Amino acid sequence: MSALSLSCRVCATEHPLEAVGSCSRCFGPLDPVYDWDHVRASLTRERLEERRRDIWRYAELLPVSAPDEPRLAPGFTPLVPAPRLADAVGVRELWLKLDTANPTHSFKDRVVAVAARKAQELGLTTLSCSSTGNLAGAVAARAAAEGMDAAVFVPADLEPEKLAAAAAYGPTIYAVDGHYDHCSRLSVELSFELEWGFVNVNLRSYYAEGSKTLAYELAEQLGWRAPDVVAIPIASGALFHKVGQGFSELRSLGLLDGPAPRQVGGQAEGCAPVATAFRERTTVTPVRPDSIARSLAIGNPADGDFAVATARETGGAIHAVAEDAVGENMALLARTTGVFGETATGVTLGALRAAAEAGEVGRDDRVVLLVTGDGLKTLAPVSFTYAPVHIAADADAFLDRLEAAAA
Ligand SMILES: Cc1ncc(COP(=O)(O)O)c(C=O)c1O
Ligand SMILES: [Zn+2]
């Protein structure tokens, strides 16, 4: 394993590779530090070609030891072209990264696989999290796959499809009377009392690194070329920030040439603290979420300021998308590509279109849009598309009807 320690992103204080959620000096987030000589020597393009097609192919860039026999390994999800949507948006090339192909149909399987591995290394037997929905399912499934216990904390009024999908794996679901930020604060308090692996609290440094694998895969799947633009949804901001970190690691390892991709972030208007901070050039101010995009409804985003910094450093942008545009964008994606993404994806496409309208993205650009979650878990916003034509089971009447319509 190439990880050596954890280092505070703010004050650089070093911490051991334990279940510690934040810097003991300044409460800043902790990132793993790697032995870069070791990584450089063992991670080459040629070696990668022979490896497993899942996140563990990038083991040197993850802060845990790869499992000997990975179970239900996430990653290496399809990257597919979307030419009709590229025309609609007004970009040269548009590719969809289908993280719906992961075991529980969202990118959260990546982050949970890494955190769960760390929990096992530390001898913890219960996996836990606070969740806006997808993470609960990913934690529950990973615990089931590894023979661990799972206890998840979610807002009580989440989409029923999401909760039912998580419940099937047998976790204890604590439905909290409040929104996500209440669940989050509760899990932080409990993490000081219980010997549990809270994937996004005391294991957050390991968890967040899992998102870097999206950057590695995009570079590799595009033939070791970075896209010009990546469109990414933002809740806590960890995914957005870590994708940026993933690309910059590849560039400093010499695996990728050229400029870093511009990162375009999306939030829904009803919970857009990071988009607001980007627009107003301030630090993130917490909000009370009220959004149809429940998976992105984090009012006090832990990595929000880092996401703003990543957008600025890469020459990207972060846009807030109108609530009533979320379902429309989910439907636009579905009918132009055959891909049904969830509300977060509707937000991401809305943000990409806003960036195109603002001239931040255009005809010269090769763009990747991350489809981080599955529309089957969030059906309500596209229910407006369901308008079936009621008919009798009578072929003659049906043909008459078609003829009349054509006339
Ligand atoms: C489908 C989906 N996409 C994106 C995100 C954003 O992730 P992050 O909290 O790392 O910003 C989430 C978070 O729950 C999610 O469920
Ligand atoms: Zn610190």
Side-chain angles (χ1 to χ4, degrees), residues 8 63 77 79 107 127 157 391 403:
C8 175
T77 54
L79 180 68
F107 91 97
L127 270 194
D157 63 348
I391 56 164
E403 214 167 279

Side-chain angles (χ1 to χ4, degrees), residues 105-108 111 130-135 162 180 204 207-208 211 232-242 266-267 294-298 301-303 307 342-345 348 370-374 377:
H105 308 254
S106 92
F107 91 97
K108 295 287 183 183
V111 286
S130 53
S131 169
T132 57
N134 287 309
L135 185 58
K162 248 179 203 163
Y180 172 80
R204 189 172 179 83
Y207 157 99
S211 289
I232 306 171
I234 295 177
S236 74
L239 168 65
F240 192 88
H241 173 72
K242 287 287 175 177
Q267 295 208 289
R294 300 303 307 269
S295 57
L296 303 183
I298 298 186
D303 288 292
E342 70 144 74
T343 47
T345 308
T348 313
L370 300 189
V371 180
T372 55
D374 197 318
K377 292 194 213 173

Side-chain angles (χ1 to χ4, degrees), residues 387-403:
V389 180
H390 289 278
I391 56 164
D394 178 331
D396 288 336
F398 184 75
L399 293 171
D400 288 347
R401 182 192 179 96
L402 284 190
E403 214 167 279

Side-chain angles (χ1 to χ4, degrees), residues 2 76 114 132 142 168 183 199 225 244-245 289 300 332 351 380 385 394 406:
S2 46
F76 230 82
V114 180
T132 57
R142 175 56 49 197
C183 302
V199 299
R225 291 209 348 244
Q245 188 183 319
N300 188 8
L332 173 66
T385 59
D394 178 331

